[in-house]
């Protein structure tokens, strides 16, 4: 995650040194200390957005995957004589442009569409699931991690089949259904369902 965050902040440093070295229009428009402060603030914001995501992929990692993809998509510009600076900056600009409109769309849908389309939406969000970060192709987590957000235990003996998509809220073992008694830790045997409601709500 450290490398991913630094990669997302790197356009600030690339732009700063490019204009300073090549006497660009932004030459001496920003002091190094200001650049450092902005970078630290950006890093802390990314760290805050990443918190609470484990074991799901951190948002910074997903954004890094997006940025690398756009670097490849825009690489044809290098074949037509575009400089590396323009290629690098437009790749990152594409990332932030898409993320801005993703944020606008999902903010509207969060209030006006998702809760009515799926009655379990707020429970899913409470459990850590996100309608964009956990559905985008740039998130390389397994479907189980995307949906449930639990690390699976190390199985000894019986290994549940891969089509079991639910997880025990206590031990994380894959389950065939989202109710009943856990075959691995016997959660639910005594009728106590508090762990389920603590994790997913009513």
């Amino acid at each position: 995650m450290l490398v991913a965050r630094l990669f997302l902040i790197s356009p600030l440093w690339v732009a700063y040194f490019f204009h300073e070295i090549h006497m660009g229009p932004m030459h001496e428009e920003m002091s190094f200390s200001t650049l450092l402060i902005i970078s630290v603030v950006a890093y802390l914001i990314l760290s805050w957005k990443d918190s609470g995501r484990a074991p799901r992929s951190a948002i910074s990692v997903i954004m890094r995957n997006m940025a690398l993809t756009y670097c490849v998509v825009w690489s044809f510009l290098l074949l037509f004589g575009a400089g590396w600076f323009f290629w690098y900056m437009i790749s990152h600009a594409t990332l932030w442009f898409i993320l801005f409109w993703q944020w606008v769309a999902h903010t509207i849908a969060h209030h006006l569409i998702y809760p009515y389309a799926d009655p379990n939406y707020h429970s899913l969000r409470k459990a850590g699931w996100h309608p964009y970060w956990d559905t985008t192709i740039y998130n390389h987590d397994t479907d189980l991690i995307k949906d449930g957000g639990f690390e699976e235990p190390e199985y000894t003996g019986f290994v549940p089949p891969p089509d079991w998509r639910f997880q025990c809220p206590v031990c994380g073992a894959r389950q065939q259904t989202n109710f009943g008694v856990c075959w691995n830790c016997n959660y639910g045997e005594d009728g106590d369902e508090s762990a389920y409601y603590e994790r997913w709500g009513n």
Side-chain angles (χ1 to χ4, degrees):
M1 285 190 291
L2 171 64
V3 175
R5 293 170 192 158
L6 294 177
F7 178 66
L8 295 173
I9 297 170
S10 65
L12 295 172
W13 292 74
V14 170
Y16 176 83
F17 285 108
F18 181 85
H19 285 280
E20 291 300 311
I21 293 173
H22 299 283
M23 302 298 178
M26 297 298 295
H27 178 64
E28 295 185 347
E29 291 295 322
M30 179 187 294
S31 66
F32 183 78
S33 58
T34 302
L35 171 68
L36 195 59
I37 292 171
I38 293 174
S39 299
V40 170
V41 171
Y43 185 90
L44 292 175
I45 291 174
L46 290 172
S47 300
W48 169 65
K49 296 296 289 184
D50 289 338
S51 63
R53 284 278 302 171
R56 294 180 172 95
S57 289
I59 292 175
S60 295
V61 172
I62 300 171
M63 292 170 62
R64 177 209 61 194
N65 295 341
M66 295 175 70
L68 290 173
T69 300
Y70 302 140
C71 284
V72 173
V73 168
W74 288 108
S75 61
F76 74 91
L77 294 174
L78 300 174
L79 300 176
F80 291 94
W84 68 268
F85 174 74
F86 178 76
W87 161 75
Y88 193 77
M89 297 305 289
I90 198 172
S91 299
H92 281 270
T94 303
L95 164 71
W96 293 106
F97 176 81
I98 290 176
L99 287 181
F100 171 77
W101 287 110
Q102 172 272 129
W103 172 77
V104 170
H106 283 281
T107 299
I108 295 172
H110 174 76
H111 297 286
L112 302 177
I113 299 175
Y114 295 147
Y116 303 101
D118 186 352
N120 297 318
Y121 172 70
H122 288 298
S123 297
L124 291 170
R125 291 301 305 269
K126 181 182 177 183
W129 179 83
H130 190 275
Y132 180 76
W133 302 120
D134 294 312
T135 58
T136 178
I137 60 173
Y138 304 104
N139 183 340
H140 301 153
D141 292 338
T142 64
D143 289 337
L144 192 72
I145 293 296
K146 289 179 182 179
D147 294 342
F150 285 115
E151 288 280 12
E152 291 186 75
E154 291 187 11
Y155 299 114
T156 56
F158 175 70
V159 177
D163 61 337
W164 287 16
R165 295 289 299 277
F166 301 99
Q167 286 182 280
C168 171
V170 174
C171 70
R174 289 200 304 270
Q175 307 291 319
Q176 189 171 16
T177 63
N178 64 343
F179 60 89
V181 178
C182 174
W183 62 268
N184 187 51
C185 70
N186 293 323
Y187 162 73
E189 188 176 38
D190 57 0
D192 181 12
E193 301 176 337
S194 57
Y196 179 91
Y197 292 108
E198 181 180 348
R199 178 69 180 176
W200 286 293
N202 296 325

